[in-house]
Amino acid sequence: MTRGTVLLTGGAGYIGSHTAVELLGAGWDVVVVDDFSNSSPVALERVAQVATGPSAGHLRWHRLDIADTAGLTSVLADEAVDAVVHFAGLKAVGESVAQPLRYYTVNVAGSASLLRAMDATGVRRLVFSSSCTVYGDPERVPIDETAARGASNPYGRTKLVVEDMLMDLAAADDGWQLLALRYFNPVGAHASGRLGEDPEGIPNNLMPYIMQVAAGRHPFVRVFGDDYPTPDGTGIRDYIHVVDLALGHVAALESSDDLPGFTAVNLGTGRGSSVLEVIAAASRAVGRDVPYQVVERRPGDVAATWAEPALAEKLLGWRATRTLDEMAADHWRWQSRNPQGYAGEGAGPPTPPA
Ligand code: UFG
């Protein structure tokens, strides 16, 4: 007897694959749809290997673009889906400035396509991957869910528009249960070392870049400014272990029956760490100093953001427990065992499990 069937869009990606493992472990049957445009089927093979246990659910997957409303409608009906977690989307800030139409098409029109398919099949429970980016340059820290929303780039605006779309849907029809989870800075990897983040090209984000420096792929970490009004002068973020984040989705699905309408919840630790603190944690994990140099500030960066995570504990009964040292150790285990990410294995198309 499983808990039900949950569809994950973008379930082969970084956060999706970790969430699939935790949902399977909690007894959910998981159906992934992914177009593998920025992810690998190998991740799903590994999800199936890692997620074991007496009550683990079953994993199935379909190669599908979320723009394909008819295809999604068939999957929702044929797989008897009870709830959806919507990860699929584009997420690079710089790219969104250069290619805004692509971002609006994939993130906004893609979400509308999914919601139309859900509406057509009577699936009314959705957990949406939102981001702390919807707070723009925050008016105060820690940031709680009542803070004003805003965005300073097209990527952020697509997240705002999708949240607005969900609010409008909830206002029009009280049958929907729509939860937007606003992620802070996800880092780390599955403790097995089998699953992790596999960024395309040179990573923009701090932790994957640090790990590539540690692996010898770049000479040093560029610290973007040490003249911010923070204790050591470097930027402060709320880094959250991807497995804690994944468990937040399990908690969200299991609480969503009690949360009709639209609800937005922060997923963060409530603790901020500076760039130098992250480099120090990574150096401990790697066992030697990771070299860095301070360079100019990166345009668009804010000095400090971290979450007020109390609402997640109250509504979902969830809080993050993993430390920055665990994030760094797990990220390094993944990086050092998979120097080419998923590309080191199984280039062929996937064979869905029976
Ligand atoms: N940083 C460096 N060097 C690097 C990369 C980052 O010093 O090579 C610093 C940044 O200046 C910042 C911190 O490390 O202070 C974290 O930077 P990330 O790029 O890892 O994360 P951001 O907080 O800038 O970005 C994240 C998400 C985005 C989201 C944004 C705003 O990755 O998707 O938060 O919410 F839009």
Side-chain angles (χ1 to χ4, degrees):
M1 181 65 195
T2 69
R3 293 209 122 108
T5 300
V6 56
L7 180 91
L8 309 189
T9 71
Y14 174 44
I15 302 171
S17 58
H18 288 81
T19 301
V21 168
E22 299 307 326
L23 285 168
L24 289 163
W28 288 83
D29 282 340
V30 172
V31 178
V32 166
V33 296
D34 204 303
D35 67 356
F36 300 109
S37 57
N38 187 26
S39 62
S40 168
V42 176
L44 294 177
E45 291 167 10
R46 294 195 184 179
V47 165
Q49 293 158 7
V50 165
T52 51
S55 56
H58 294 287
L59 173 68
R60 292 181 293 278
W61 66 77
H62 303 264
R63 184 185 290 265
L64 194 70
D65 185 329
I66 54 168
D68 179 357
T69 313
L72 281 176
T73 305
S74 300
V75 172
L76 287 166
D78 296 349
E79 298 276 11
V81 168
D82 298 298
V84 176
V85 186
H86 179 32
F87 297 104
L90 303 174
K91 60 168 187 178
V93 173
E95 189 181 68
S96 79
V97 175
Q99 304 173 22
L101 279 180
R102 205 174 139 226
Y103 272 68
Y104 283 100
T105 303
V106 174
N107 291 7
V108 177
S111 297
S113 167
L114 170 66
L115 287 160
R116 289 208 325 271
M118 290 176 67
D119 198 29
T121 47
V123 181
R124 298 299 186 88
R125 257 207 290 170
L126 176 78
V127 175
F128 170 60
S129 286
S130 191
S131 164
C132 67
T133 197
V134 300
Y135 297 118
D137 193 350
E139 51 191 4
R140 58 179 187 272
V141 282
I143 310 173
D144 69 52
E145 291 81 353
T146 65
R149 296 182 317 147
S152 46
N153 57 67
Y155 160 72
R157 273 187 284 280
T158 66
K159 292 291 179 190
L160 280 180
V161 173
V162 176
E163 283 199 356
D164 288 343
M165 188 156 65
L166 299 181
M167 287 179 217
D168 288 339
L169 261 185
D173 177 346
D174 59 13
W176 292 94
Q177 295 158 11
L178 305 168
L179 257 169
L181 301 181
R182 295 175 177 160
Y183 310 154
F184 281 67
N185 290 58
V187 296
H190 193 264
S192 65
R194 302 279 294 154
L195 293 170
E197 187 172 13
D198 186 13
E200 239 177 49
I202 298 173
N204 296 311
N205 293 119
L206 179 63
M207 187 69 95
Y209 196 91
I210 291 175
M211 293 302 168
Q212 291 196 357
V213 171
R217 288 168 67 176
H218 314 288
F220 55 86
V221 180
R222 291 169 305 156
V223 174
F224 296 142
D226 67 351
D227 56 353
Y228 285 104
T230 61
D232 67 17
T234 67
I236 291 182
R237 296 291 183 274
D238 187 338
Y239 298 94
I240 175 169
H241 195 297
V242 67
V243 173
D244 276 330
L245 196 68
L247 290 167
H249 294 74
V250 179
L253 278 175
E254 290 172 3
S255 311
S256 65
D257 265 348
D258 306 326
L259 298 170
F262 173 83
T263 313
V265 180
N266 288 341
L267 294 188
T269 67
R271 187 180 177 281
S273 303
S274 73
V275 175
L276 295 184
E277 286 172 330
V278 176
I279 294 174
S283 297
R284 287 191 290 276
V286 174
R288 62 194 138 74
D289 283 348
V290 176
Y292 67 87
Q293 284 182 20
V294 177
V295 301
E296 288 297 292
R297 288 184 180 192
R298 183 171 66 178
D301 274 350
V302 300
T305 61
W306 66 91
E308 168 51 69
L311 190 66
E313 179 138 27
K314 182 171 165 229
L315 296 184
L316 314 180
W318 168 93
R319 70 187 171 84
T321 60
R322 290 164 177 79
T323 64
L324 185 62
D325 277 315
E326 287 173 89
M327 300 176 209
D330 289 340
H331 210 122
W332 176 241
R333 188 177 306 107
W334 154 256
Q335 171 73 45
S336 52
R337 291 190 189 172
N338 306 269
Q340 304 306 320
Y342 295 114
E345 193 185 300
T351 315

